Amino acid sequence: MCIFCDISSGKIVPADIVFENEHVIAFRDINPVAPSHVLVIPKKHIRSMHEIGGDEISLLGEMILAVQKVAEKEGILKSGYRIVTNVGADAGQTVDHLHWHVIGGRKLGWEF
Ligand code: AMP
Ligand code: ZN
């Protein structure tokens, strides 16, 4: 279990939930880097994209559908948005529960 498991299981962790269904939950990042910054996660604890197993492929489809709903709700469908997922230390992964950052609402740069 981890902080994102606590959020997805409804424990008393404050979270601004944007979308939720049986498989996935989307909530606002506490440290947003853009006007719209939402995290989409599977409810199941999977450490990162690299840990997705063959029997979990359908979860990725659920996450894509959730991203689409988030983008519509956030009003960033027309203006555009970016999906980012960090895997491991060099990428900057700080929470070891698979999450996709959905970022939009401003023009995004591309710097590393
Ligand atoms: P990453 O660095 O890719 O692992 O992203 C982790 C993200 O989770 C960061 O952008 C944090 O700001 C965000 N974060 C950490 N704890 C929480 C929380 N309790 N609620 C919402 N976002 C969080
Ligand atoms: Zn977890």
Side-chain angles (χ1 to χ4, degrees), residues 30-51:
I30 41 163
N31 190 21
V33 299
S36 184
H37 187 168
V38 174
L39 301 174
V40 173
I41 72 167
K43 289 191 169 176
K44 181 174 182 181
H45 182 86
I46 298 168
R47 283 175 55 86
S48 77
M49 280 288 283
H50 199 82
E51 313 297 321

Side-chain angles (χ1 to χ4, degrees), residues 3 37 67 79-80 82 107 109:
I3 181 82
H37 187 168
V67 168
S79 50
R82 184 173 295 163
K107 205 89 177 159

Side-chain angles (χ1 to χ4, degrees), residues 1-6 43-46 95-98:
M1 290 291 266
C2 70
I3 181 82
F4 286 0
C5 281
D6 286 347
K43 289 191 169 176
K44 181 174 182 181
H45 182 86
I46 298 168
V95 178
D96 287 339
H97 182 131
L98 170 60

Side-chain angles (χ1 to χ4, degrees), residues 16 29 33 35 41 45 51 56 58 60 62 67 72 80 83-84 98 102 107-108 110:
D16 189 350
D29 196 296
V33 299
I41 72 167
H45 182 86
E51 313 297 321
E56 289 157 341
S58 64
L60 298 179
E62 295 288 344
V67 168
E72 283 163 26
I83 303 167
V84 175
L98 170 60
V102 181
K107 205 89 177 159
L108 300 171
W110 188 254

Side-chain angles (χ1 to χ4, degrees), residues 78-112:
K78 285 219 171 78
S79 50
Y81 61 90
R82 184 173 295 163
I83 303 167
V84 175
T85 190
N86 294 317
V87 179
D90 272 1
Q93 183 174 5
T94 57
V95 178
D96 287 339
H97 182 131
L98 170 60
H99 51 282
W100 288 354
H101 299 256
V102 181
I103 302 164
R106 69 166 170 84
K107 205 89 177 159
L108 300 171
W110 188 254
E111 288 169 26
F112 295 99

